[in-house]
Each structure stands twice: as structure tokens, then as C-alpha cells.
Amino acid sequence: MEQSKKLSAGILRNDRLMADGRTIRYYDTSGQNRSAKDARPVEEQPAIGELRLDPLVNEWIAMASHRQGRIFLPPKELCPLCPTTGELLTEIPESDFEVVVFDNRSPSLRPPTGDWALPDQVGPDTDLGSAAGKCEVICFTAEHGNAFKDLTPARVRVLLEAWIDRTTELSQESFIEHIAPFENRGEEIGVTLTHPHGQIYAYSYIPPRVEKMLAAANKYKASTGKVLFDEVVAREIRDEERIIARNDRWIAFVPYAARYPFEIHVAPLNPVADLTGLTDQDRDAFAPIALEVMKRLDGVFGIDMAYIAAWHQAPVRVGRDVLRLHWQITSVRRAPGKLKYLAGSESAMGAFIMDMRPEQSAAQLREVVL
């Protein structure tokens, strides 16, 4: 299956098949010829995993035991996310690339076969389900030693378009209920590959945090007639002291009740349900604020900060009138050489205790000289 597709801002997507039948998608700005073949031997793909219900909290847990054998912190010369060069045959057959997205080699979730339905959540006797969904890898750059903050504004624009395109396409699958693009950075939070990349998880169920956000948003809308996240942004604008960056289309702030030592929310001032709702003006204005936020985060202590950067958006079929798109960046680094560990209260009870006032971390982020 080889095909091309024109996207916004002159970006072209080219799809190619990998040796084992997975799809790789190239996102380019200059009409590059993407014809390199995956020369690796064909390997059998893992079978679909299981979904098991934890009845005590009514949450789905995906069982993906095949992931135990995935690559762990390989040296640069063996990185599977670098371009293919010489004898190093990687996940990307081309010798260079801008942004690529490909199906994960060791996915936690896989597309189901035949008729599929999520089992009813009823208690300890709930039937075993298949871990249906989709897991994709998105590489930001061919440069192994770089990070998100090192991308050019033009490259961030391509990256954003790739996120939008994948959200659009994955939303059309009948078994997908929620789509979450995210980036993990740093060994402190469990990264196994250091090449600048992220992932896209498309779930066949609504994840627990999204369920809680949806319940809170619905309750607020029913009692006030207003959208909760819109009111949160309005409060941050009024208070001002937690805002760390803004332009005419986006705002970045440390939330009033931050859970982590450094937590930043980046939201469009034109509220939308998901990435596909962003206008061309929104898309063009994202790169400057995204790069500023990431540079401020690394500049706080003058070191590479470990973080998770995740897009929150409305589920595919519900809550689209009450949930809003925003980009949440969280870091467990509270000082040089010190991490905030999610221990007894956080991990066991789900009750977060913040080690510093959000206003303090916002001030530290604003004081960084760019």
C-alpha cells in the first residue's frame, strides 16, 4: 500500500509498507521521494493482548507480556529510530527524514479482527477482552542527539500536522474511543529509546483520567451552563501570576492545583475539542510557544529535564461539547539531583502532595533567560 496525501501548509504524507506489513508514514515539506525499501527480514508480529477489568476501581488494564523483550537503551550506533545508513537497518528505511509515524513493533494495543466489542464492566466476573486499539511511534527528527526544543519552528509545524492527521484517521476506526499523542523524555520517567520521538495511543475505551475529566466537565456544565476548561483558562488570565508564555493564539500556564514540581498546560485561546479543530492560524502559532515552553523548562536548572508531554483532547464520540484540547507537560524534577517520587500517598492513594507552590515554579520558568 503506497499512497500520497496532501495536508495543510504544503505538507505531503507518503505511506509505505515495512517488511513485516506495518505502515510507515513520511511527513515532508519539500516533496521528497520516499521509495526506499525495508530490507530487513520479515518478523512475525505479536498477537493481540488481553484487557482485564480491575473491579475495585472499574478500570481496564491491558496485558501485553510480549513487550518484556523490547529494545532497552541501545547505543546511538544501534538506535532503531535513526535513519537507515550502511549496515544499520532501522525502522526507517530512508537515509533521512523530517517526521515519520509508523505502527509500533511491540504494541500494547492492536486492531482487533472480526466482530469486536468491549465487555460490559460489571464486576469481578467481567469477561476477558482483547486489548484492542492502536499504538504508533512518531519520530520528530533524524538527529539522534537533539530534543523537541532543538526543532525548528518549521519542523514543529510538520509535527503538529502529523498529530492532527493521525487523530483524523484514527478517529474513523469503529473500535477507537480516545486518542492520546504523547512524548516521554528522560530515563527518570522510564524512556527506553533516547532518540527524539513520541507515541500515539488510540484506546478502545476511555482512559481513567479522561473519564474523571469528563465527569467533572459534565457536572459543571449541568450546574452552570459553562465549559469548565474555558473557565479555568479565564481564571489563569485574570490571575496572571501563573502564566509563563502566550501569543495571540495560545497560552501557557502552571495550573492552580499543579500535581508536579513543574507542570505546564498549553491551550489554544480559540477552544476546540481536539487537534483537528485547530485553524491554520492556530497551527502556525503553535511552534513559537511550544519551543519557548520547552526551552524554559530546560533552562530552570540548566539541565535536560525529564518530562511527559501529553495532548488531552475530547474522546472520539462523547464529551466533545465539554472537553477541550490542551497540551500538558509534567516533570518530576524538583531540584538538581532531586526527583519527586510518586510514593505512598500518590501511588497508593492517588492523593498528590505538591512540594512547591505553583506560583513559585511559574516564577522560575518566567525568569529563564532565553
Side-chain angles (χ1 to χ4, degrees), residues 28-248:
D28 293 305
T29 57
S30 303
Q32 291 92 330
N33 176 25
R34 300 304 187 186
S35 57
K37 301 296 183 181
D38 185 355
R40 296 173 299 175
V42 177
E43 293 186 3
E44 185 177 353
Q45 295 188 50
I48 196 168
E50 301 172 352
L51 278 185
R52 297 188 181 188
L53 184 72
D54 178 351
L56 297 180
V57 289
N58 205 41
E59 293 177 2
W60 291 109
I61 310 297
M63 303 292 168
S65 58
H66 59 272
R67 285 173 57 79
Q68 281 280 43
R70 66 190 190 277
I71 297 174
F72 182 77
L73 295 176
K76 177 182 178 180
E77 59 270 19
L78 297 177
C79 175
L81 303 185
C82 282
T84 288
T85 54
E87 296 182 357
L88 177 63
L89 302 179
T90 73
E91 292 282 71
I92 299 111
E94 295 286 344
S95 61
D96 194 16
F97 61 87
E98 291 189 31
V99 172
V100 295
V101 178
F102 55 88
D103 299 345
N104 198 312
R105 189 177 184 180
S106 300
S108 303
L109 308 167
R110 289 185 61 86
T113 56
D115 294 333
W116 181 90
L118 190 69
D120 291 332
Q121 295 172 270
V122 295
D125 296 324
T126 296
D127 291 337
L128 182 72
S130 298
K134 195 85 160 38
C135 294
E136 299 177 346
V137 176
I138 179 166
C139 292
F140 305 161
T141 173
E143 299 297 325
H144 182 88
N146 285 357
F148 186 104
K149 68 178 176 62
D150 301 314
L151 302 177
T152 65
R155 180 60 55 84
V156 175
R157 182 67 179 81
V158 178
L159 176 58
L160 178 61
E161 199 63 35
W163 279 328
I164 294 168
D165 178 65
R166 300 311 303 140
T167 298
T168 300
E169 188 165 292
L170 290 166
S171 295
Q172 298 171 11
E173 297 284 0
S174 62
F175 59 91
I176 298 301
E177 295 295 334
H178 188 74
I179 300 163
F182 62 89
E183 177 197 1
N184 298 326
R185 181 200 188 196
E187 293 182 36
E188 297 93 329
I189 53 94
V191 166
T192 58
L193 295 173
T194 57
H195 193 103
H197 75 288
Q199 300 180 66
I200 302 170
Y201 270 40
Y203 300 92
S204 54
Y205 54 93
I206 299 178
R209 179 165 173 81
V210 182
E211 288 271 20
K212 292 185 71 173
M213 293 169 67
L214 181 57
N218 279 330
K219 183 178 179 180
Y220 191 83
K221 183 69 177 290
S223 61
T224 69
K226 299 177 181 179
V227 175
L228 179 57
F229 193 80
D230 294 349
E231 295 298 290
V232 167
V233 171
R235 175 186 181 167
E236 296 298 343
I237 292 173
R238 287 195 306 270
D239 289 354
E240 289 190 9
E241 61 182 334
R242 290 177 298 277
I243 295 175
I244 64 167
R246 67 179 299 177
N247 59 29
D248 62 341

Side-chain angles (χ1 to χ4, degrees), residues 285-316:
F286 174 69
I289 197 167
L291 291 170
E292 178 180 346
V293 162
M294 290 304 193
K295 289 174 182 177
R296 289 190 179 281
L297 188 61
D298 272 9
V300 170
F301 301 127
I303 59 177
D304 293 344
M305 294 279 270
Y307 63 74
I308 298 171
W311 283 103
H312 289 282
Q313 49 188 349
V316 174

Side-chain angles (χ1 to χ4, degrees), residues 259-310:
R259 284 174 164 78
Y260 294 87
F262 290 93
E263 179 174 346
I264 305 165
H265 292 191
V266 183
L269 292 170
N270 171 37
V272 294
D274 65 18
L275 286 158
T276 68
L278 295 174
T279 66
D280 286 342
Q281 292 85 353
D282 296 332
R283 300 178 192 194
D284 292 341
F286 174 69
I289 197 167
L291 291 170
E292 178 180 346
V293 162
M294 290 304 193
K295 289 174 182 177
R296 289 190 179 281
L297 188 61
D298 272 9
V300 170
F301 301 127
I303 59 177
D304 293 344
M305 294 279 270
Y307 63 74
I308 298 171

